[in-house]
Amino acid sequence: MGVEELEVEVERILPGGMGLAHAGGKTVFVSLAAPGDRVRVRIDRKQGELLFASIVEILTPSPVRTEPPCPYFGRCGGCDFQQLTYEAQLEAKAGIIRDCLHRIARLEDVPEIVVTASPNNWRYRMRATWQIDRELRAIGYYERGSRRVCDVVDCAVLQPELQETLERVRATEWQQFPRDLKHLDAVEGENGVSLSPPFAEFRTNELSLTVRGEFYQYNADAFFQINPSLLGALIEYAIGYASGATVLDLYCGVGLFTLPLARQFQKVIGVEANGTAARFARRNLQLAGLTNANVITATVTDWFRSRAVGPVDFVLLDPPRAGAESAVIKGILDLHPRAISYVSCDPATLARDLRKLIGGGYVIESIAGFDLFPQTHHVETVVRLARSE
Ligand SMILES: C[S@@+](CC[C@H](N)C(=O)[O-])C[C@H]1O[C@@H](n2cnc3c(N)ncnc32)[C@H](O)[C@@H]1O
């Protein structure tokens, strides 16, 4: 059977980053597309009436298409938006959030959504995971749709010091790489770079960074946000408006929100499953002289299960990509906080959880996007909710 090809026009960008097109009554998902492209595509995979396709030839380029500058683009699984102008990336991300809120959260009227641009849209990443293939002597990111490692010499989205570290890792004798080393977590701070696991000359150093006047310590074993340039604005939008007696900071990491919350509320309870991150959060509070916050090392589900929480005015939750567990949403609803800020790096799981919160008596006050991940379809979203009286 020959390779199946089609000519289609890309209508818009969908959650997940693919372009949407239609042909012969079928829905076609086109990878690395721009809205308005007229393209000839090859069908790579079929799933019922859905066709997954890649571009063979651009017949008429979209007005928002641009030449991807990275030599690994298309092969490397890291960036899937380099074909779009930066303005078009921001517009596509606002559309992705809107789409999820409409289809998954079932919102009839989706409020206006603006995605704030990253001041740097190249060389912005201060954290990365590098995949290692010791046999092939390759270091980089997984190739698109595979577990093969794309050997990346220069990654155009890494901050300069992280890029330099990648080069030093690459220049290390391969005999020095531990046999079972499959990936390296790297993170940067104002005082250097931390790698986990440590090997050869590389250490899991303690780093620091000041954000919106707060001083944070962390290392490569704890979560820290990828793009430092928008963190001040993100924090301001998520919690700047909130005040009261007691606040919960769920999935609190090393305390990015916990410290500023401790200045705005009488009492803060932070919950974080990663022991290293929770230890850093406690230390960051101590270094700031903040004694009104308590950080608990537990999964949020276990924490809700194990204790009765007193009255809470405000809940900030910032879960990983999978979103909040059902028991966590139930735990929050049982507390009836006046307001909730949901910080999310995945609009689809955000929308799933918002549906439950709205069903539990909350209304969306406002939504904002922050482009923490330029050149990719990923976007950080903050939704502010209030209890309907
Ligand atoms: C997206 S990060 C947010 C961290 C922090 N709010 C920040 O902005 O730096 C999610 C955090 O949740 C933690 N985590 C993941 N699953 C968890 C769970 N079930 N319960 C508690 N924390 C969890 C991770 O270790 C990580 O620190």
Side-chain angles (χ1 to χ4, degrees), residues 166-184:
L166 176 61
E167 286 165 26
R168 282 200 292 123
V169 169
R170 178 176 293 287
T172 304
E173 293 276 332
W174 277 97
Q175 291 90 307
Q176 293 196 54
F177 282 69
R179 288 217 155 268
D180 56 353
L181 186 63
K182 293 279 184 282
H183 67 264
L184 275 172

PDB file of all heavy atoms in Angstrom, residues 166-184:
ATOM      1  N   LEU A 166      25.981  22.289  29.166  1.00  0.00           N
ATOM      2  CA  LEU A 166      25.719  21.200  28.217  1.00  0.00           C
ATOM      3  C   LEU A 166      26.999  20.890  27.437  1.00  0.00           C
ATOM      4  O   LEU A 166      27.351  19.728  27.222  1.00  0.00           O
ATOM      5  CB  LEU A 166      24.577  21.605  27.265  1.00  0.00           C
ATOM      6  CG  LEU A 166      24.229  20.632  26.145  1.00  0.00           C
ATOM      7  CD1 LEU A 166      23.768  19.284  26.698  1.00  0.00           C
ATOM      8  CD2 LEU A 166      23.143  21.198  25.235  1.00  0.00           C
ATOM      9  N   GLU A 167      27.721  21.947  27.047  1.00  0.00           N
ATOM     10  CA  GLU A 167      28.963  21.746  26.279  1.00  0.00           C
ATOM     11  C   GLU A 167      30.028  21.054  27.140  1.00  0.00           C
ATOM     12  O   GLU A 167      30.765  20.195  26.655  1.00  0.00           O
ATOM     13  CB  GLU A 167      29.486  23.093  25.756  1.00  0.00           C
ATOM     14  CG  GLU A 167      28.632  23.590  24.602  1.00  0.00           C
ATOM     15  CD  GLU A 167      28.851  25.059  24.256  1.00  0.00           C
ATOM     16  OE1 GLU A 167      29.942  25.583  24.525  1.00  0.00           O
ATOM     17  OE2 GLU A 167      27.889  25.678  23.740  1.00  0.00           O
ATOM     18  N   ARG A 168      30.076  21.419  28.442  1.00  0.00           N
ATOM     19  CA  ARG A 168      31.070  20.786  29.329  1.00  0.00           C
ATOM     20  C   ARG A 168      30.717  19.316  29.571  1.00  0.00           C
ATOM     21  O   ARG A 168      31.589  18.468  29.612  1.00  0.00           O
ATOM     22  CB  ARG A 168      31.172  21.544  30.662  1.00  0.00           C
ATOM     23  CG  ARG A 168      31.999  22.825  30.534  1.00  0.00           C
ATOM     24  CD  ARG A 168      32.523  23.308  31.868  1.00  0.00           C
ATOM     25  NE  ARG A 168      31.445  23.768  32.722  1.00  0.00           N
ATOM     26  CZ  ARG A 168      31.187  23.296  33.930  1.00  0.00           C
ATOM     27  NH1 ARG A 168      31.923  22.330  34.454  1.00  0.00           N
ATOM     28  NH2 ARG A 168      30.183  23.790  34.636  1.00  0.00           N
ATOM     29  N   VAL A 169      29.407  19.034  29.711  1.00  0.00           N
ATOM     30  CA  VAL A 169      28.975  17.630  29.875  1.00  0.00           C
ATOM     31  C   VAL A 169      29.388  16.845  28.630  1.00  0.00           C
ATOM     32  O   VAL A 169      29.942  15.750  28.703  1.00  0.00           O
ATOM     33  CB  VAL A 169      27.449  17.540  30.105  1.00  0.00           C
ATOM     34  CG1 VAL A 169      26.959  16.107  30.004  1.00  0.00           C
ATOM     35  CG2 VAL A 169      27.066  18.143  31.449  1.00  0.00           C
ATOM     36  N   ARG A 170      29.129  17.448  27.467  1.00  0.00           N
ATOM     37  CA  ARG A 170      29.434  16.795  26.194  1.00  0.00           C
ATOM     38  C   ARG A 170      30.943  16.547  26.027  1.00  0.00           C
ATOM     39  O   ARG A 170      31.352  15.559  25.427  1.00  0.00           O
ATOM     40  CB  ARG A 170      28.926  17.724  25.080  1.00  0.00           C
ATOM     41  CG  ARG A 170      29.163  17.308  23.671  1.00  0.00           C
ATOM     42  CD  ARG A 170      28.495  18.301  22.744  1.00  0.00           C
ATOM     43  NE  ARG A 170      27.058  18.228  22.891  1.00  0.00           N
ATOM     44  CZ  ARG A 170      26.331  17.214  22.422  1.00  0.00           C
ATOM     45  NH1 ARG A 170      26.909  16.226  21.785  1.00  0.00           N
ATOM     46  NH2 ARG A 170      25.035  17.200  22.591  1.00  0.00           N
ATOM     47  N   ALA A 171      31.767  17.468  26.596  1.00  0.00           N
ATOM     48  CA  ALA A 171      33.233  17.334  26.457  1.00  0.00           C
ATOM     49  C   ALA A 171      33.822  16.342  27.469  1.00  0.00           C
ATOM     50  O   ALA A 171      35.005  16.036  27.416  1.00  0.00           O
ATOM     51  CB  ALA A 171      33.883  18.712  26.633  1.00  0.00           C
ATOM     52  N   THR A 172      32.979  15.836  28.380  1.00  0.00           N
ATOM     53  CA  THR A 172      33.457  14.882  29.395  1.00  0.00           C
ATOM     54  C   THR A 172      33.706  13.516  28.750  1.00  0.00           C
ATOM     55  O   THR A 172      32.933  13.091  27.889  1.00  0.00           O
ATOM     56  CB  THR A 172      32.388  14.759  30.520  1.00  0.00           C
ATOM     57  OG1 THR A 172      32.140  16.057  31.016  1.00  0.00           O
ATOM     58  CG2 THR A 172      32.865  13.866  31.642  1.00  0.00           C
ATOM     59  N   GLU A 173      34.798  12.868  29.143  1.00  0.00           N
ATOM     60  CA  GLU A 173      35.114  11.524  28.634  1.00  0.00           C
ATOM     61  C   GLU A 173      33.920  10.595  28.842  1.00  0.00           C
ATOM     62  O   GLU A 173      33.382  10.540  29.958  1.00  0.00           O
ATOM     63  CB  GLU A 173      36.284  10.943  29.452  1.00  0.00           C
ATOM     64  CG  GLU A 173      37.595  11.654  29.269  1.00  0.00           C
ATOM     65  CD  GLU A 173      38.324  11.154  28.040  1.00  0.00           C
ATOM     66  OE1 GLU A 173      38.115   9.987  27.681  1.00  0.00           O
ATOM     67  OE2 GLU A 173      39.062  11.947  27.439  1.00  0.00           O
ATOM     68  N   TRP A 174      33.531   9.839  27.811  1.00  0.00           N
ATOM     69  CA  TRP A 174      32.353   8.979  27.946  1.00  0.00           C
ATOM     70  C   TRP A 174      32.540   7.887  29.000  1.00  0.00           C
ATOM     71  O   TRP A 174      31.581   7.432  29.608  1.00  0.00           O
ATOM     72  CB  TRP A 174      31.957   8.383  26.588  1.00  0.00           C
ATOM     73  CG  TRP A 174      31.134   9.364  25.819  1.00  0.00           C
ATOM     74  CD1 TRP A 174      31.574  10.224  24.867  1.00  0.00           C
ATOM     75  CD2 TRP A 174      29.733   9.634  25.989  1.00  0.00           C
ATOM     76  NE1 TRP A 174      30.538  11.011  24.426  1.00  0.00           N
ATOM     77  CE2 TRP A 174      29.382  10.665  25.088  1.00  0.00           C
ATOM     78  CE3 TRP A 174      28.725   9.111  26.802  1.00  0.00           C
ATOM     79  CZ2 TRP A 174      28.096  11.180  24.981  1.00  0.00           C
ATOM     80  CZ3 TRP A 174      27.434   9.621  26.691  1.00  0.00           C
ATOM     81  CH2 TRP A 174      27.133  10.643  25.797  1.00  0.00           C
ATOM     82  N   GLN A 175      33.819   7.513  29.239  1.00  0.00           N
ATOM     83  CA  GLN A 175      34.081   6.494  30.279  1.00  0.00           C
ATOM     84  C   GLN A 175      33.642   7.000  31.654  1.00  0.00           C
ATOM     85  O   GLN A 175      33.391   6.227  32.553  1.00  0.00           O
ATOM     86  CB  GLN A 175      35.578   6.154  30.366  1.00  0.00           C
ATOM     87  CG  GLN A 175      36.122   5.413  29.177  1.00  0.00           C
ATOM     88  CD  GLN A 175      36.641   6.379  28.125  1.00  0.00           C
ATOM     89  OE1 GLN A 175      35.926   7.289  27.703  1.00  0.00           O
ATOM     90  NE2 GLN A 175      37.874   6.184  27.698  1.00  0.00           N
ATOM     91  N   GLN A 176      33.577   8.341  31.809  1.00  0.00           N
ATOM     92  CA  GLN A 176      33.206   8.898  33.115  1.00  0.00           C
ATOM     93  C   GLN A 176      31.688   8.925  33.342  1.00  0.00           C
ATOM     94  O   GLN A 176      31.232   9.186  34.441  1.00  0.00           O
ATOM     95  CB  GLN A 176      33.756  10.321  33.249  1.00  0.00           C
ATOM     96  CG  GLN A 176      35.258  10.364  33.301  1.00  0.00           C
ATOM     97  CD  GLN A 176      35.718  11.708  33.825  1.00  0.00           C
ATOM     98  OE1 GLN A 176      35.301  12.150  34.883  1.00  0.00           O
ATOM     99  NE2 GLN A 176      36.549  12.364  33.033  1.00  0.00           N
ATOM    100  N   PHE A 177      30.902   8.684  32.269  1.00  0.00           N
ATOM    101  CA  PHE A 177      29.444   8.663  32.432  1.00  0.00           C
ATOM    102  C   PHE A 177      29.064   7.342  33.105  1.00  0.00           C
ATOM    103  O   PHE A 177      29.427   6.278  32.595  1.00  0.00           O
ATOM    104  CB  PHE A 177      28.731   8.729  31.069  1.00  0.00           C
ATOM    105  CG  PHE A 177      28.686  10.102  30.463  1.00  0.00           C
ATOM    106  CD1 PHE A 177      29.837  10.724  29.998  1.00  0.00           C
ATOM    107  CD2 PHE A 177      27.485  10.781  30.350  1.00  0.00           C
ATOM    108  CE1 PHE A 177      29.802  11.988  29.428  1.00  0.00           C
ATOM    109  CE2 PHE A 177      27.429  12.045  29.784  1.00  0.00           C
ATOM    110  CZ  PHE A 177      28.595  12.650  29.325  1.00  0.00           C
ATOM    111  N   PRO A 178      28.340   7.384  34.238  1.00  0.00           N
ATOM    112  CA  PRO A 178      27.921   6.123  34.857  1.00  0.00           C
ATOM    113  C   PRO A 178      27.120   5.283  33.854  1.00  0.00           C
ATOM    114  O   PRO A 178      26.367   5.837  33.043  1.00  0.00           O
ATOM    115  CB  PRO A 178      27.027   6.585  36.019  1.00  0.00           C
ATOM    116  CG  PRO A 178      27.393   8.006  36.254  1.00  0.00           C
ATOM    117  CD  PRO A 178      27.874   8.568  34.958  1.00  0.00           C
ATOM    118  N   ARG A 179      27.306   3.957  33.927  1.00  0.00           N
ATOM    119  CA  ARG A 179      26.664   3.049  32.955  1.00  0.00           C
ATOM    120  C   ARG A 179      25.153   3.224  32.898  1.00  0.00           C
ATOM    121  O   ARG A 179      24.546   3.145  31.852  1.00  0.00           O
ATOM    122  CB  ARG A 179      26.950   1.586  33.329  1.00  0.00           C
ATOM    123  CG  ARG A 179      28.343   1.182  33.079  1.00  0.00           C
ATOM    124  CD  ARG A 179      28.483  -0.257  32.569  1.00  0.00           C
ATOM    125  NE  ARG A 179      29.744  -0.341  31.816  1.00  0.00           N
ATOM    126  CZ  ARG A 179      29.830  -0.150  30.513  1.00  0.00           C
ATOM    127  NH1 ARG A 179      28.761   0.076  29.813  1.00  0.00           N
ATOM    128  NH2 ARG A 179      30.994  -0.211  29.907  1.00  0.00           N
ATOM    129  N   ASP A 180      24.550   3.447  34.081  1.00  0.00           N
ATOM    130  CA  ASP A 180      23.082   3.493  34.127  1.00  0.00           C
ATOM    131  C   ASP A 180      22.536   4.928  34.009  1.00  0.00           C
ATOM    132  O   ASP A 180      21.357   5.162  34.259  1.00  0.00           O
ATOM    133  CB  ASP A 180      22.586   2.851  35.429  1.00  0.00           C
ATOM    134  CG  ASP A 180      23.210   3.511  36.647  1.00  0.00           C
ATOM    135  OD1 ASP A 180      24.120   4.353  36.448  1.00  0.00           O
ATOM    136  OD2 ASP A 180      22.790   3.210  37.777  1.00  0.00           O
ATOM    137  N   LEU A 181      23.366   5.884  33.610  1.00  0.00           N
ATOM    138  CA  LEU A 181      22.902   7.280  33.513  1.00  0.00           C
ATOM    139  C   LEU A 181      22.006   7.444  32.281  1.00  0.00           C
ATOM    140  O   LEU A 181      22.464   7.317  31.145  1.00  0.00           O
ATOM    141  CB  LEU A 181      24.093   8.242  33.424  1.00  0.00           C
ATOM    142  CG  LEU A 181      23.759   9.731  33.473  1.00  0.00           C
ATOM    143  CD1 LEU A 181      23.115  10.104  34.805  1.00  0.00           C
ATOM    144  CD2 LEU A 181      24.986  10.592  33.244  1.00  0.00           C
ATOM    145  N   LYS A 182      20.712   7.712  32.534  1.00  0.00           N
ATOM    146  CA  LYS A 182      19.753   7.819  31.418  1.00  0.00           C
ATOM    147  C   LYS A 182      19.404   9.276  31.137  1.00  0.00           C
ATOM    148  O   LYS A 182      19.059   9.652  30.035  1.00  0.00           O
ATOM    149  CB  LYS A 182      18.460   7.058  31.755  1.00  0.00           C
ATOM    150  CG  LYS A 182      18.664   5.560  31.852  1.00  0.00           C
ATOM    151  CD  LYS A 182      18.668   4.947  30.456  1.00  0.00           C
ATOM    152  CE  LYS A 182      18.781   3.447  30.468  1.00  0.00           C
ATOM    153  NZ  LYS A 182      20.139   2.967  30.708  1.00  0.00           N
ATOM    154  N   HIS A 183      19.402  10.100  32.184  1.00  0.00           N
ATOM    155  CA  HIS A 183      19.142  11.524  31.973  1.00  0.00           C
ATOM    156  C   HIS A 183      19.764  12.345  33.091  1.00  0.00           C
ATOM    157  O   HIS A 183      20.060  11.826  34.170  1.00  0.00           O
ATOM    158  CB  HIS A 183      17.633  11.800  31.860  1.00  0.00           C
ATOM    159  CG  HIS A 183      16.883  11.562  33.122  1.00  0.00           C
ATOM    160  ND1 HIS A 183      16.224  10.389  33.383  1.00  0.00           N
ATOM    161  CD2 HIS A 183      16.710  12.337  34.221  1.00  0.00           C
ATOM    162  CE1 HIS A 183      15.661  10.459  34.572  1.00  0.00           C
ATOM    163  NE2 HIS A 183      15.950  11.622  35.111  1.00  0.00           N
ATOM    164  N   LEU A 184      19.939  13.644  32.798  1.00  0.00           N
ATOM    165  CA  LEU A 184      20.501  14.579  33.781  1.00  0.00           C
ATOM    166  C   LEU A 184      19.528  15.738  33.949  1.00  0.00           C
ATOM    167  O   LEU A 184      19.059  16.304  32.960  1.00  0.00           O
ATOM    168  CB  LEU A 184      21.801  15.175  33.240  1.00  0.00           C
ATOM    169  CG  LEU A 184      23.094  14.405  33.432  1.00  0.00           C
ATOM    170  CD1 LEU A 184      24.204  15.078  32.641  1.00  0.00           C
ATOM    171  CD2 LEU A 184      23.473  14.358  34.911  1.00  0.00           C
TER     172      LEU A 184
END
